[in-house]
Amino acid sequence: MTPRMYEVVARRDDLPDTVTLTLAPVDEQCPTPAIGQFNMLWAFGIGEAPISLAGFENGHLIHTIRRVGAVTNSLAASTTGDQIGVRGPYGTGWDLTRAAGRDVLVVAGGLGLAPVRPIITELFANRSSYGRAVLLVGARTPDALLYRDELEQWRGRLDIEVEVTVDSATPSWRGDVGVVTRLVERAPIDPENTTAFVCGPEVMMRFAAVSVVDRGVPAAEVMLSLERNMHCAIGHCGHCQLGPEFICKDGPVVPWPRVKPLLRVAER
Amino acid sequence: MKSISDLLGEHPFFEGLPPEALELISGCGTNVHFDADATIISEDEPADVFYVLRSGRVALEVATPRRGPLVIETVGPGEILGVSWLLPPYRWTFDGRATISTSAVALDAACLRQKCDQDPVLGYEMYKRFAALVRDRLQATRLQLVDFYGNNAS
């Protein structure tokens, strides 16, 4: 439960309210995370916030942080050389072993691209282990697209299909306009042989999961990454409880059939 | 070179239609191509055709005096451009502009409506398919209204 000290070694401003920090251990490092897990990041004197891992490279933690409150405001204001406390990694990860030999469909909306970024990294690292790879990305507007440079790079590759859509745009935008669920309808996958990973705002995930299952992907092969009000991150405090699930330890990555009946329950 | 009937048979919208129905519909069709930025349909103009998109992308836009054209949604390969031909007053509601080079089969609306009137089985099938298309687009529009990425939806 005691945070370990990490230093900000790189900072990138992704969007006006969103930054990506690369963190290196000052001394003792946290255990190696599984992709899809999250850390509790500590802004000293202010508090902690659960932040998904957007990457783990050479022992460095990569976290993308949106300013939504006092803690994330402070974390996002960090600059190179600043120190941050890290507890973790916590929770369940994306189980890519189940996707071996199958088509992989990744659906990300808004900041949800951050937690699925390690899936894309893994796909590229072990490309022959998977079938077709499809990444569908949705955002509110073109200006709100996360990791735009990386999206451009990924789109240039021949071993992954990347489709991007925004909810609204001016004519200068040459891409798709419409909700991300519409991209699911035409994704080039073999549905019965596909494993899907979905991350984004909860309402988006609900409808995306329904679209993916409607396409013919088995419901048990649809994984979601949930975000709830996590405090202790070890299933003790109950703040993140969703029905029988403690999202901090039973999630954040959960199979769609397990949480489908719970996602219309209002958070307290 | 593929016939119009072949092209329609490969399109998801016509999946499962018997060859004789495809042949009948194809009699109303012609191959068309639009360069990027070409206007395909214009608001308030007669909806006397609809497009079975084969490649490219079309932006459905509404002109606004101060913000210029606003893109409402895009449609692409495997989709249909145009439902206003189905019902009176047969006028386009939005502008449609090819954002990139776009190919389609254009189906003459009056021709197809006449064939649907003469062959109610075909007509019922076509209207069922268009009803599903309209339902899907209505749902997508409603989801856009939810504004997934806004603070109120989270």
Side-chain angles (χ1 to χ4, degrees):
Chain A
M1 290 290 282
T2 306
R4 295 182 169 108
M5 298 301 297
Y6 275 72
E7 182 179 309
V8 178
V9 294
R11 172 199 162 95
R12 185 183 68 216
D13 289 273
D14 296 302
L15 300 170
D17 63 352
T18 306
V19 301
T20 293
L21 302 179
T22 302
L23 307 176
V26 172
D27 39 54
E28 193 184 355
Q29 66 179 22
C30 295
T32 300
I35 63 171
Q37 287 190 298
F38 69 96
N39 283 318
M40 298 299 291
L41 300 191
W42 190 298
F44 295 113
I46 300 175
E48 279 186 311
I51 308 288
S52 294
L53 274 146
F56 181 69
E57 295 168 10
N58 304 317
H60 293 178
L61 307 171
I62 299 172
H63 284 288
T64 296
I65 302 162
R66 174 167 285 172
R67 299 170 189 269
V68 291
V71 175
T72 50
N73 267 322
S74 174
L75 291 169
S78 303
T79 56
T80 305
D82 287 351
Q83 292 195 348
I84 286 173
V86 177
R87 278 200 299 132
Y90 292 119
T92 55
W94 300 112
D95 181 8
L96 273 147
T97 57
R98 67 184 308 131
R102 299 168 62 83
D103 290 355
V104 176
L105 173 65
V106 180
V107 186
L111 203 62
L113 187 56
V116 300
R117 183 179 174 275
I119 298 177
I120 307 303
T121 307
E122 159 60 20
L123 288 176
F124 291 153
N126 296 289
R127 190 63 194 88
S128 59
S129 300
Y130 305 97
R132 280 169 288 197
V134 180
L135 170 64
L136 309 178
V137 179
R140 195 181 206 180
T141 64
D143 291 341
L145 272 172
L146 192 64
Y147 306 151
R148 200 158 174 160
D149 290 345
E150 276 185 310
L151 282 174
E152 296 286 347
Q153 285 175 25
W154 297 342
R155 284 187 89 152
R157 294 179 61 125
L158 299 175
D159 55 357
I160 185 168
E161 184 87 20
V162 179
E163 296 292 340
V164 178
T165 188
V166 297
D167 282 1
S168 69
T170 55
S172 61
W173 169 251
R174 295 272 166 178
D176 277 305
V177 177
V179 285
V180 69
T181 51
R182 289 207 60 212
L183 297 180
V184 173
E185 297 162 18
R186 57 177 194 252
I189 52 168
D190 171 12
E192 288 181 5
N193 189 37
T194 293
T195 299
F197 302 98
V198 183
C199 191
E202 208 163 285
V203 181
M204 176 232 119
M205 286 196 287
R206 251 168 56 200
F207 285 96
V210 168
S211 298
V212 169
V213 172
D214 283 350
R215 252 314 289 278
V217 176
E221 291 297 328
V222 181
M223 304 291 147
L224 275 57
S225 180
L226 298 183
E227 188 180 86
R228 287 273 154 161
N229 184 15
M230 298 169 196
H231 281 208
C232 72
I234 53 173
H236 283 185
C237 74
H239 281 91
C240 65
Q241 191 166 0
L242 176 64
E245 313 279 346
F246 289 90
I247 297 304
C248 68
K249 71 177 183 62
D250 302 323
V253 177
V254 287
W256 165 238
R258 213 170 82 203
V259 292
K260 182 182 176 185
L262 304 174
L263 288 189
R264 295 180 71 244
V265 177
E267 192 173 10
R268 295 177 191 275
Chain B
M1 189 174 161
K2 289 179 178 174
S3 67
I4 298 288
S5 180
D6 291 338
L7 295 174
L8 295 182
E10 291 170 358
H11 196 278
F13 185 78
F14 295 98
E15 187 181 342
L17 272 187
E20 54 272 23
L22 289 172
E23 201 60 44
L24 197 63
I25 296 167
S26 66
C28 302
T30 49
N31 255 319
V32 291
H33 180 81
F34 302 96
D35 293 332
D37 283 326
T39 297
I40 303 176
I41 60 175
S42 298
E43 180 185 332
D44 210 34
E45 292 295 314
D48 49 12
V49 69
F50 71 96
Y51 298 93
V52 180
L53 298 177
R54 298 174 50 218
S55 65
R57 182 183 291 119
V58 180
L60 292 174
E61 299 174 341
V62 60
T64 64
R66 293 196 180 160
R67 295 161 68 190
L70 297 179
V71 182
I72 299 156
E73 74 172 335
T74 50
V75 286
E79 296 185 292
I80 297 290
L81 171 64
V83 293
S84 299
W85 69 277
L86 278 168
L87 298 165
Y90 309 124
R91 289 193 175 277
W92 297 122
T93 315
F94 300 109
D95 298 328
R97 177 180 57 88
T99 60
I100 55 177
S101 177
T102 297
S103 294
V105 173
L107 287 169
D108 182 279
C111 168
L112 192 57
R113 282 197 301 263
Q114 187 181 26
K115 289 186 178 182
C116 289
D117 286 341
Q118 290 168 352
D119 183 345
V121 173
L122 173 68
Y124 181 54
E125 185 61 36
M126 289 297 289
Y127 273 71
K128 275 199 297 186
R129 287 169 190 244
F130 269 95
L133 187 155
V134 170
R135 174 205 60 198
D136 292 346
R137 291 197 184 164
L138 175 62
Q139 178 162 329
T141 304
R142 284 172 169 168
L143 293 179
Q144 266 173 300
L145 292 174
V146 168
D147 188 13
F148 286 151
Y149 311 110
N151 290 333
N152 291 335
S154 58

